Amino acid sequence: MATTIRTRTSSNGHSHGNGGGLLVNLRLLGLLLLLLLQLGQLAYSLETQNQNTQKQLNLWPMPKHVNYSTSTLFIPSHFHLITQYADVSSILKDAFASLLTLINLPRATANNSKSKSPLLLLQGLNVVVSSTNEQLQYGVDESYHLSIPQPDPSKPLYAYLQANTVYGALHGLQTFSQLCRFNSKTKTVELNRAPWTIIDEPRFSYRGLLIDTSRHYLPLPVIKSVIDSMAYAKLNVLHWHIVDTQSFPLEIPSYPKLWNGAYSNSERYTIADATEIVSYAQRQGINVLAEIDVPGHAGSWGVGYPSLWPSKDCQEPLDVSNEFTFKLIDGILSDFKKIFKFKFVHLGGDEVNTSCWRTTPHIRKWLRRNGMNGSEAYQYFVLRAQRIALSHGFEIVNWEETFNNFGKKLSRQTVVHNWLGGGVAQKAVAAGLRCIVSNQDKWYLDHLDALWQDFYSNEPLTNITNPNQQKLVIGGEVCMWGEHIDASDIQQTIWPRAAAAAERLWTPYDKLAKDPREVTGRLAHFRCLLNERGIAAAPLAGPGRVAPEEPGSCYQQ
């Protein structure tokens, strides 16, 4: 750190004093220079220490506040949960049972309950949850306070986890799991650097990951594995792009022929499957955002109901002139309301080419009768679909084209989903609408040339300085489009790049590294942790979905 010294002269520009005074002043100046140099070195040391702390702590994403020391504790085989929380749905109990597996406690064969240093045994985890409300919705309190105190010879040692909701407690358990490491030499589970104090909460309430089950079907165990991995990184919204042009794999009881558009009978999701996915995600603090992408990405709908197509040879967008189109959308959203508990539904609205409408005789006649051109009919379709969603109690997410084309006409309950590039979030919040950031040049996982460093550096609040407008950016989402992704390669395409975005969305802005190189070691450690937990995360070196270049440690790849 460079230190600049500025000296002042008297107001008339002359130096003060005589020769003896000059010598004293020179000595004082020397002492002052030395003091300033030492202060500069101290400031540099503190800054370096803070940077080194960020590098050395193997926590991902980095919590809001962390304090720790140097003691090592051991997790005994009888490590247990203590709580007065009602836990009606057994969410906390099941999460604690999973925690024991995550920290490799079943592998610990040494009888550390008879350790020579019994005071270093962490006997259990005391969890206090303030609210008994287990409803998971957008904006739920996800904060937690985790403390592991200094050993006291007079009493057993316990860790303490306090949260306002069970979902905050789940995040605390994930953080606790990262403090523990299995020592293969001693056959014990260690918790290093105790005592700990961690106070944490997310920066953004919406931290999403999109999966696409239309381009390739993803079996239920694969989707559950993705949900598991999201929880490890504290992502909290699974955006399920269920259907698209290529296939319609979901059962819709109101219109049972829709899933005739699936690739095959075995590549389908029943209502029970969808309900199971929602429940599985909810128990890990993850909402499921369901999407039907209308009117432009819906060619598969017409396999079961051909009247939805403008014509057999021109199948998209959905027929805007046909009342059955909107009756069917109403039926889908009515069924969605019984399955998907998130308050938002995604209605798509992107990449709409209206040429089919303009070239199909009966639709062209309808346009003329209603005094509309193609773009006006596009607006009519989107706004009518929005009204249907609102009638079912949903708030709406639409891709950014709807805002770019007719933003002022959108429902004020619309969330604009940015994907094409920068600057859209700034315009959307200036118009008073909420926004989700997923700009494709930074946060599209199917772009295999995109580096994790770019995922880490992508800032959702770029050029948004007004605090009220900043609040309208509800978060961000990384997108795993499925054209070249299936069950065989999805996880190594998602991770570790999605984790880089996850820290951007969780960690306070002032705690984020200005240079992604500062977090390389910590992210590499998290990637290896994912591998240990059965998540096929790819190496950091290179772009997305690369293989290891040569033999070596996981931590060096």
Side-chain angles (χ1 to χ4, degrees), residues 319-321 355-370 372:
D319 189 343
V320 67
S321 72
S355 60
C356 264
W357 291 347
R358 290 182 278 108
T359 57
T360 302
H362 77 273
I363 299 180
R364 189 168 64 240
K365 187 183 298 184
W366 182 89
L367 291 173
R368 193 162 49 244
R369 185 168 64 247
N370 287 278
M372 294 184 193

Coordinates of all heavy atoms in Angstrom, one line a residue, residues 319-321 355-370 372:
D319 N -52.7 -20.7 -31.9 CA -53.8 -19.9 -32.6 C -54.4 -18.9 -31.7 O -55.2 -19.2 -30.8 CB -54.8 -20.9 -33.1 CG -55.8 -20.3 -34.1 OD1 -55.9 -19.0 -34.1 OD2 -56.5 -21.0 -34.8
V320 N -54.1 -17.6 -32.0 CA -54.6 -16.5 -31.2 C -56.1 -16.3 -31.5 O -56.8 -15.7 -30.6 CB -53.8 -15.2 -31.5 CG1 -54.0 -14.8 -32.9 CG2 -54.1 -14.1 -30.5
S321 N -56.6 -16.8 -32.6 CA -58.0 -16.5 -33.0 C -59.0 -17.6 -32.4 O -60.2 -17.4 -32.5 CB -58.2 -16.5 -34.5 OG -58.0 -17.8 -35.0
S355 N -45.5 -14.7 -38.1 CA -45.8 -14.9 -39.6 C -46.9 -15.9 -39.8 O -47.7 -15.8 -40.8 CB -44.5 -15.3 -40.3 OG -44.0 -16.5 -39.7
C356 N -47.0 -17.0 -39.0 CA -48.0 -18.0 -39.1 C -49.4 -17.3 -39.0 O -50.3 -17.7 -39.7 CB -47.9 -19.1 -38.1 SG -47.0 -20.5 -38.6
W357 N -49.5 -16.4 -38.1 CA -50.8 -15.7 -37.9 C -51.2 -14.9 -39.2 O -52.3 -14.9 -39.6 CB -50.8 -14.8 -36.7 CG -50.7 -15.5 -35.4 CD1 -51.0 -16.9 -35.2 CD2 -50.4 -14.9 -34.1 NE1 -50.8 -17.1 -33.9 CE2 -50.5 -16.0 -33.2 CE3 -50.1 -13.7 -33.7 CZ2 -50.3 -15.8 -31.8 CZ3 -49.9 -13.4 -32.3 CH2 -49.9 -14.5 -31.4
R358 N -50.2 -14.3 -39.7 CA -50.4 -13.4 -40.9 C -50.6 -14.1 -42.2 O -51.2 -13.6 -43.1 CB -49.2 -12.4 -41.0 CG -49.2 -11.3 -39.8 CD -48.1 -10.3 -40.0 NE -46.8 -10.8 -39.5 CZ -45.8 -11.2 -40.2 NH1 -45.9 -11.1 -41.5 NH2 -44.7 -11.6 -39.7
T359 N -50.2 -15.4 -42.2 CA -50.3 -16.1 -43.5 C -51.4 -17.2 -43.5 O -51.6 -17.8 -44.5 CB -48.9 -16.8 -43.8 OG1 -48.5 -17.7 -42.8 CG2 -47.9 -15.7 -44.1
T360 N -52.0 -17.4 -42.3 CA -53.0 -18.4 -42.2 C -54.4 -17.7 -42.4 O -54.7 -16.8 -41.7 CB -53.0 -19.1 -40.8 OG1 -51.7 -19.7 -40.6 CG2 -54.1 -20.2 -40.7
P361 N -55.2 -18.1 -43.4 CA -56.4 -17.4 -43.8 C -57.3 -17.1 -42.7 O -57.8 -15.9 -42.5 CB -57.0 -18.3 -44.9 CG -55.8 -19.0 -45.5 CD -54.9 -19.3 -44.4
H362 N -57.7 -18.1 -41.9 CA -58.7 -17.8 -40.9 C -58.2 -16.9 -39.8 O -59.0 -16.1 -39.2 CB -59.3 -19.1 -40.3 CG -58.4 -19.8 -39.3 ND1 -57.4 -20.7 -39.6 CD2 -58.3 -19.7 -37.9 CE1 -56.8 -21.2 -38.6 NE2 -57.3 -20.6 -37.5
I363 N -56.9 -16.9 -39.5 CA -56.3 -16.0 -38.5 C -56.2 -14.6 -39.1 O -56.4 -13.6 -38.4 CB -55.0 -16.5 -37.9 CG1 -55.2 -17.9 -37.3 CG2 -54.4 -15.6 -36.9 CD1 -53.9 -18.5 -36.7
R364 N -55.8 -14.6 -40.3 CA -55.6 -13.3 -41.0 C -57.0 -12.6 -41.0 O -57.1 -11.4 -40.8 CB -55.1 -13.5 -42.4 CG -54.8 -12.1 -43.1 CD -54.0 -12.3 -44.4 NE -54.7 -13.1 -45.4 CZ -54.4 -14.2 -45.9 NH1 -53.3 -14.8 -45.5 NH2 -55.1 -14.8 -46.8
K365 N -58.1 -13.3 -41.2 CA -59.4 -12.8 -41.2 C -59.8 -12.2 -39.8 O -60.4 -11.2 -39.7 CB -60.4 -13.8 -41.7 CG -61.8 -13.3 -41.9 CD -62.8 -14.4 -42.3 CE -62.4 -15.1 -43.6 NZ -63.3 -16.1 -44.0
W366 N -59.4 -13.0 -38.8 CA -59.7 -12.6 -37.4 C -58.9 -11.3 -37.1 O -59.4 -10.4 -36.4 CB -59.3 -13.7 -36.5 CG -59.5 -13.5 -35.0 CD1 -60.6 -13.7 -34.3 CD2 -58.6 -12.9 -34.1 NE1 -60.5 -13.4 -33.0 CE2 -59.2 -12.9 -32.8 CE3 -57.3 -12.4 -34.2 CZ2 -58.6 -12.4 -31.7 CZ3 -56.6 -11.9 -33.0 CH2 -57.3 -11.9 -31.8
L367 N -57.7 -11.2 -37.5 CA -56.9 -10.0 -37.3 C -57.5 -8.8 -37.9 O -57.6 -7.7 -37.3 CB -55.4 -10.2 -37.8 CG -54.5 -11.2 -37.1 CD1 -53.2 -11.4 -37.9 CD2 -54.2 -10.8 -35.7
R368 N -58.0 -9.0 -39.1 CA -58.6 -7.9 -39.9 C -59.9 -7.5 -39.2 O -60.2 -6.3 -39.0 CB -58.8 -8.3 -41.3 CG -59.2 -7.1 -42.2 CD -59.0 -7.5 -43.7 NE -59.6 -8.8 -44.0 CZ -59.0 -9.8 -44.4 NH1 -57.6 -9.8 -44.6 NH2 -59.6 -11.0 -44.7
R369 N -60.7 -8.4 -38.7 CA -61.9 -8.1 -38.1 C -61.7 -7.4 -36.7 O -62.5 -6.6 -36.3 CB -62.7 -9.4 -37.8 CG -64.1 -9.2 -37.3 CD -64.9 -10.5 -37.3 NE -64.4 -11.6 -36.5 CZ -63.9 -12.7 -37.0 NH1 -63.8 -12.9 -38.3 NH2 -63.4 -13.6 -36.2
N370 N -60.6 -7.7 -36.1 CA -60.3 -7.1 -34.8 C -59.4 -5.9 -34.9 O -59.0 -5.3 -33.8 CB -59.8 -8.1 -33.8 CG -60.8 -9.1 -33.3 OD1 -61.6 -8.8 -32.4 ND2 -60.9 -10.3 -34.0
M372 N -56.2 -5.7 -35.8 CA -54.9 -5.9 -35.2 C -53.9 -6.3 -36.3 O -54.3 -7.0 -37.3 CB -55.0 -7.1 -34.2 CG -55.7 -6.8 -33.0 SD -55.6 -8.2 -31.8 CE -56.9 -7.9 -30.6

